[in-house]
Amino acid sequence: MFTKIIVPVDISTLDKGADIFRKAASLLDEGGKIILLHVVEEVPSYLAIDMPADLIANATDEAQDKLVKLRDDTGIDAEIELRSGPPAREILACAKERGADLIIIASHRPDFSNYLLGSTADRVVRHAVCSVLVRR
């Protein structure tokens, strides 16, 4: 069905990440590739002054460890990619750069704040140039 699937995982909700990772494996063509992606959000400079200098590095290391554990626990072959920046922008950039034909993203139930600001999944769906599967 699909030859290159981007699976963005929020490590704070790893159970949803595992669910969409398994779904990606079921939709992948033989010889295809899954990219497990985590985006570490940047801290605004006016806040970064009061934070430990290694905060982002620690967050990146933690994300790497959790994604490797997820990959190992499921036994599903995948490449791991870490990025920093606004999540929707980085997910879309990864999909474009990698030539993905599907993004599978987890979503939470929308609440009022989603109608004012929009969630990451909403932004990815609106701006992706490939197919997007949103899993609740």
Side-chain angles (χ1 to χ4, degrees):
M1 291 183 159
F2 298 98
T3 57
K4 196 166 288 182
I5 302 175
I6 305 294
V7 180
V9 176
D10 179 354
I11 61 168
S12 67
T13 57
L14 214 49
D15 56 331
K16 284 186 178 184
D19 180 50
I20 61 173
F21 187 33
R22 286 186 195 91
K23 184 64 177 176
S26 73
L27 296 173
L28 190 66
D29 282 342
E30 190 172 324
K33 184 182 281 189
I34 296 174
I35 293 100
L36 272 177
L37 172 67
H38 178 73
V39 180
V40 178
E41 290 191 63
E42 293 174 338
V43 179
S45 59
Y46 62 89
L47 292 176
I49 294 170
D50 296 328
M51 297 183 144
D54 59 350
L55 181 71
I56 297 297
N58 290 343
T60 302
D61 291 344
E62 179 187 9
Q64 175 79 26
D65 293 345
K66 287 187 176 186
L67 292 181
V68 167
K69 183 173 178 1
L70 173 63
R71 182 182 63 191
D72 293 347
D73 288 350
T74 59
I76 301 169
D77 186 34
E79 191 175 318
I80 293 173
E81 184 168 335
L82 299 170
R83 291 178 173 240
S84 65
R89 184 188 76 196
E90 292 303 321
I91 292 166
L92 293 167
C94 179
K96 185 176 181 182
E97 291 166 13
R98 298 293 197 112
D101 49 3
L102 179 65
I103 300 169
I104 300 181
I105 189 166
S107 179
H108 59 278
R109 294 247 180 244
D111 60 12
F112 187 67
S113 67
N114 293 111
Y115 297 109
L116 297 176
L117 302 173
S119 71
T120 299
D122 293 335
R123 289 185 181 115
V124 169
V125 167
R126 276 183 285 184
H127 300 288
V129 294
C130 64
S131 297
V132 179
L133 172 64
V134 179
R135 184 83 178 214
R136 289 201 183 199

